[in-house]
Amino acid sequence: MLAKQTNCSAALMEIYAGEIPQRERAKRALWTADEHAARKAQLLKQLRNGFSGDFDRFVLSGEQLHNLTLEQLTALQKELASHVDEVRVLAYVREAASWMESAFQQRVKTGDVADFNNLRRVLPEYRSKLERFDKAFGRDKVTLWKFEPATFVGKDVVLDFCSKLGFEFDPGQIVLDNEGVSRDGVGLLYLYRHYAKPAKMTAQDKQDVRLLMRQMGSLSGDKMRIAPKVLAPYLADIAADMAWMEGRLGAIVSTPPTAKPGAIATEAELLTPTQKGVAWLGEQLGRQLVADGASASGEQVAAWMEEWLKLLKLGVPSRPVKTAP
């Protein structure tokens, strides 16, 4: 459906909210109202054509649909209901601490506002995001599951989802469309944004950050965690929202986070380059950036990231580090 996109969020957000995908905003800045209307009509036609096949069930994946208003969700429900006998909403819900960590990292990776000193932008806001679906689709049509990877079939959310719906699915066909970034990678992106892009980020700046992020799959390591003492005040402020979510979900989402080695407690830690991150960046540039045992400043690393970005835009592949004979 929708040209076989793995995630239909962008298309559905454009159809129902008029939101232009970030990657297309620059080239579409001079479009006329008629051109935008034609694009919306094209996407809507693709959506409708997707129901033309002889299938028992259709699946639309859209992780950003919680950003639609009640009116917009109602319009989506009416459109879908005109093609099928029953429309159901199925969603996984993270615990609050996990939600905040994931949302913060996602903002760092995509170029959205990400301020470690003010995490209010990444609060779950469970009720405001999810209650609209109950109202637009009917509560009996909305099924919520707790996001617990350790309990998933095959430890994989795709396989778990298919299992819950009774789909047979080949694990070899799973497409990883939102790869994670290690703690070292998040640190590189955060300090790059802090030092190289201190002003409000432009559409091009966001594209640059995403280009850098997509290269970081080879920078392995632990996930970034936020220290419990940082999260605790925010979780205390949303106690009522978590209580509503627990009542709706029938499961706990307010578990206090546990201390984990390496959890980030201050922004200064994110802005301090790790030896592993600097060494990896040197591998991408093809040279050793600092002497063994030495450290680099955040400003230096940001400059090297900028150098690497220019090479990526020119299509220059990463180069192996040259070693002395």
Side-chain angles (χ1 to χ4, degrees):
M1 302 187 70
L2 284 170
K4 298 183 179 180
Q5 297 179 39
T6 56
N7 190 316
C8 300
S9 286
L12 293 174
M13 291 299 293
E14 183 163 0
I15 293 172
Y16 292 99
E19 183 176 302
I20 301 171
Q22 185 68 50
R23 63 183 179 276
E24 297 183 17
R25 289 180 186 177
K27 71 178 182 181
R28 291 169 59 175
L30 299 179
W31 277 25
T32 65
D34 288 343
E35 287 175 314
H36 284 295
R39 174 57 176 165
K40 177 180 176 179
Q42 178 189 34
L43 291 172
L44 189 56
K45 182 179 180 180
Q46 287 181 11
L47 175 63
R48 291 168 175 168
N49 287 344
F51 292 101
S52 61
D54 184 19
F55 301 101
D56 293 330
R57 286 174 287 187
F58 299 87
V59 177
L60 276 175
S61 174
E63 62 184 16
Q64 294 300 316
L65 296 186
H66 59 74
N67 291 317
L68 292 176
T69 65
L70 175 58
E71 181 181 9
Q72 292 162 350
L73 283 173
T74 301
L76 172 60
Q77 189 278 335
K78 289 181 178 178
E79 177 64 39
L80 297 178
S82 70
H83 300 285
V84 296
D85 298 325
E86 180 185 30
V87 180
R88 294 178 59 196
V89 176
L90 309 170
Y92 288 90
V93 180
R94 288 179 180 268
E95 289 217 22
S98 173
W99 181 311
M100 292 181 68
E101 289 178 329
S102 176
F104 175 76
Q105 292 176 67
Q106 188 67 16
R107 283 181 165 271
V108 173
K109 288 160 48 180
T110 58
D112 291 329
V113 176
D115 182 358
F116 190 83
N117 293 320
N118 183 1
L119 297 177
R120 296 198 172 278
R121 290 181 181 272
V122 297
L123 292 175
E125 298 179 345
Y126 291 118
R127 190 166 191 169
S128 68
K129 285 182 168 72
L130 297 175
E131 193 173 39
R132 291 195 293 266
F133 288 89
D134 287 347
K135 294 178 179 179
F137 292 86
R139 178 164 173 160
D140 62 321
K141 302 298 184 183
V142 180
T143 300
L144 304 176
W145 301 302
K146 185 174 179 179
F147 186 82
E148 295 181 290
T151 68
F152 289 166
V153 174
K155 301 295 189 291
D156 184 276
V157 69
V158 175
L159 295 179
D160 191 72
F161 178 81
C162 291
S163 175
K164 283 178 165 57
L165 270 64
F167 291 156
E168 291 186 6
F169 192 82
D170 178 5
Q173 295 183 12
I174 294 176
V175 177
L176 298 177
D177 197 42
N178 185 19
E179 292 271 18
V181 175
S182 67
R183 180 265 179 260
D184 298 289
V186 172
L188 286 176
L189 290 173
Y190 192 87
L191 69 83
Y192 169 73
R193 292 178 50 169
H194 181 84
Y195 291 111
K197 310 288 183 182
K200 182 177 180 180
M201 296 188 72
T202 65
Q204 183 59 57
D205 290 337
K206 293 182 179 182
Q207 289 184 32
D208 290 347
V209 168
R210 293 176 184 184
L211 175 59
L212 291 169
M213 180 271 293
R214 288 195 294 272
Q215 319 306 313
M216 292 189 170
S218 63
L219 180 49
S220 60
D222 294 334
K223 294 180 179 179
M224 194 208 83
R225 299 298 185 190
I226 300 177
K229 69 178 183 180
V230 176
L231 294 173
Y234 295 101
L235 297 178
D237 287 345
I238 62 169
D241 191 43
M242 291 190 294
W244 177 88
M245 187 70 258
E246 290 174 345
R248 177 65 180 85
L249 181 64
I252 300 297
V253 299
S254 57
T255 304
T258 57
K260 294 182 176 64
I264 304 298
T266 66
E267 185 182 51
E269 293 175 38
L270 269 181
L271 294 175
T272 302
T274 64
Q275 290 187 339
K276 182 176 180 179
V278 174
W280 179 87
L281 182 56
E283 292 174 2
Q284 312 315 303
L285 291 171
R287 66 180 188 274
Q288 185 172 345
L289 299 177
V290 295
D292 292 340
S295 59
S297 68
E299 292 92 337
Q300 286 177 308
V301 172
W304 291 325
M305 293 279 285
E306 191 78 357
E307 177 187 347
W308 180 40
L309 175 65
K310 291 177 180 178
L311 294 175
L312 290 172
K313 288 183 174 181
L314 291 173
V316 178
S318 299
R319 295 166 287 182
V321 177
K322 296 179 181 179
T323 57

